[in-house]
Amino acid sequence: MKRVKQFGETVEGYNIPVLNEREIRASAGILYLVMFWSWILVIFNDNYLLLKYANTIFLADFIVRIFISPKYSPLLIIGRLIVSNQTPEYVGAAQKKFAWTIGLVLSAIIFLLLVVMNSDSLINFFICQTCLIFLFFESAFGICFGCKFYSMFYKEKAQYCPGRNL
């Protein structure tokens, strides 16, 4: 029988696939910095170029994370290098995949509106601000909204959420 490819790593002591929260937080911090700087340029210089590039990178990175493997995500690789001397803190892979799917959908909408259609609207503003809030909470506080929303969409409760191991 064929085995389906598993999302996340198998780590001794955990009964579900997990991911390293430290590298995820580091990559969220990098994304936050780039997106925040992009918004500063939009607000003060009315320059959307960096935001278009940043959103394209954001979207491509989430596509790699979800459809290929988090192991090959460029921003997670950078995050992994930054925290390589730290002890890993593992979290459930299922809710991270769910959170990244939310990020993928939001960044795809922005990509379509901003990059493809070259439109500037309140929809762009609110979606980008939502992404910035999600990234900030993930990187600064270790609060993943994917964990918070996961149990609303799935019957089982999210396991091994950041900050507390269930």
Side-chain angles (χ1 to χ4, degrees), residues 58-71:
F58 195 93
L59 177 62
D61 193 70
F62 278 118
I63 288 170
V64 171
R65 287 180 191 197
I66 295 169
F67 297 112
I68 299 172
S69 172
K71 190 182 340 183

Side-chain angles (χ1 to χ4, degrees), residues 50-120:
L50 183 59
L51 184 60
K52 289 179 180 184
Y53 282 123
N55 180 258
T56 303
I57 291 167
F58 195 93
L59 177 62
D61 193 70
F62 278 118
I63 288 170
V64 171
R65 287 180 191 197
I66 295 169
F67 297 112
I68 299 172
S69 172
K71 190 182 340 183
Y72 303 115
S73 158
L75 291 169
L76 283 175
I77 291 170
I78 294 169
R80 192 174 305 127
L81 291 172
I82 292 170
V83 299
S84 63
N85 291 331
Q86 297 180 8
T87 305
E89 179 184 332
Y90 293 108
V91 295
Q95 64 264 25
K96 285 299 178 184
K97 185 175 186 178
F98 178 74
W100 294 342
T101 303
I102 294 170
L104 175 73
V105 169
L106 294 177
S107 61
I109 292 169
I110 291 298
F111 182 82
L112 265 156
L113 293 174
L114 188 64
V115 178
V116 175
M117 297 172 64
N118 201 30
S119 72
D120 180 19

Side-chain angles (χ1 to χ4, degrees), residues 20 28 34 43 45 48 52 63 66 88 94 109 125 136 143 148:
N20 185 351
V34 172
I43 292 167
N45 293 344
Y48 287 82
K52 289 179 180 184
I63 288 170
I66 295 169
I109 292 169
F125 173 78
F136 180 76
I143 297 171
K148 306 294 181 201

